[in-house]
Amino acid sequence: MVQDAYCKVDPDGTGPLGAFNVLCNMTASDAAKTVINHDKERKKHQVTLDATERASHYFQRISYVTNIASIRALIQRSANCRQFISYECYNSKLLNSPIGPENVQWFSSTAVPQNYWGGAPVGSGKCACGVTKTCVDPSKYCNCDADSNDRWREDFGYLTDKSSLPVNMLQFSSDAQDSFFTLGPLECFGSSGQTSGPVRNANFISSACRLVNPPPTVDAAATQSKRCLHRHSEAT
């Protein structure tokens, strides 16, 4: 396979979990990857849009193309996985660092709330800028935790802990009503126990997938071409 294609994968083989569709991205600049989509993938998604409101919080539940158990099986077979997450805040804090409590949390695949953001280590209570010490306010661990003064700020990065992915749900405090989030698809690379080079990725994805809409064979394409020529000659 040398082109991108939607394929069916069945990570547990003959096990109880069924096959499901993924995007096999074979032309990515970094490495071939398996992409699992969900229902909140628009570039910016308003916190309050389609949200469930309860106890002064907004909840955004994430629905994937298949069940979490099947996705977890794929993650376990992969060398590494990641998911992009971003919060664009307006007069709203994110982790409320450095003392908390968090105003925004994402929940793991097993519905456990997490206290860190994309680009930061597990359990760190930080965003990416807190790790690199580049936050707008040096005393905070996230850009959104600085006093906003009616300014837009953003914190973003990749979540990479395989044991927590994919993101199951997002929770926002009520003051996030004017803010936006972005949650990318789950992306997985390579096969567990192997390095994640492009060749190994291609072998893994090709063996795990079968094309949903396979291209026509040479004979079929030739037949179709003859039919088109015949119809053209009749028309003239």
Side-chain angles (χ1 to χ4, degrees):
M1 186 192 306
V2 294
Q3 76 278 6
D4 298 345
Y6 281 97
C7 306
K8 282 189 178 295
V9 295
D10 191 355
D12 70 337
T14 58
L17 301 175
F20 59 95
N21 289 336
V22 299
L23 171 63
C24 291
N25 187 331
M26 307 301 294
T27 58
S29 58
D30 46 2
K33 57 188 175 184
T34 305
V35 180
I36 299 93
N37 299 106
H38 61 78
D39 65 338
K40 299 291 192 303
E41 282 185 36
R42 66 187 68 186
K43 184 178 180 181
K44 290 183 180 181
H45 196 95
Q46 189 171 2
V47 165
T48 56
L49 184 64
D50 303 325
T52 300
E53 187 175 1
R54 185 172 70 247
S56 300
H57 284 82
Y58 297 102
F59 294 88
Q60 287 282 353
R61 300 184 184 279
I62 312 301
S63 296
Y64 291 87
V65 295
T66 189
N67 59 75
I68 294 294
S70 295
I71 297 174
R72 288 294 310 158
L74 177 62
I75 290 173
Q76 290 169 7
R77 282 200 56 179
S78 302
N80 48 71
C81 296
R82 68 184 186 183
Q83 193 164 12
F84 179 81
I85 192 168
S86 168
Y87 183 56
E88 295 179 58
C89 55
Y90 186 78
N91 292 332
S92 172
K93 298 186 185 300
L94 204 168
L95 299 181
N96 204 21
S97 61
I99 58 174
E102 299 84 3
N103 282 24
V104 180
Q105 289 182 295
W106 64 275
F107 288 68
S108 70
S109 59
T110 54
V112 176
Q114 305 296 312
N115 72 339
Y116 69 102
W117 205 244
V122 176
S124 63
K126 296 181 180 181
C127 297
C129 71
V131 177
T132 58
K133 299 182 179 180
T134 56
C135 297
V136 174
D137 182 344
S139 68
K140 308 295 184 182
Y141 299 150
C142 298
N143 289 318
C144 287
D145 290 345
D147 292 333
S148 62
N149 298 320
D150 295 328
R151 291 184 179 181
W152 284 97
R153 304 193 192 282
E154 183 180 12
D155 288 289
F156 61 90
Y158 280 99
L159 303 169
T160 58
D161 178 36
K162 284 175 59 178
S163 65
S164 300
L165 294 174
V167 175
N168 193 340
M169 184 174 69
L170 292 158
Q171 173 184 290
F172 303 88
S173 61
S174 58
D175 63 1
Q177 60 184 354
D178 295 322
S179 301
F180 294 84
F181 74 91
T182 300
L183 182 66
L186 178 69
E187 302 175 340
C188 290
F189 303 80
S191 179
S192 56
Q194 298 180 355
T195 58
S196 56
V199 174
R200 291 184 182 274
N201 281 335
N203 291 340
F204 167 68
I205 294 176
S206 295
S207 64
C209 298
R210 55 185 185 274
L211 291 175
V212 175
N213 295 307
T217 63
V218 174
D219 290 342
T223 300
Q224 181 64 24
S225 177
K226 289 179 180 178
R227 287 176 179 171
C228 290
L229 289 172
H230 179 66
R231 289 174 183 171
H232 178 72
S233 63
E234 286 182 340
T236 56

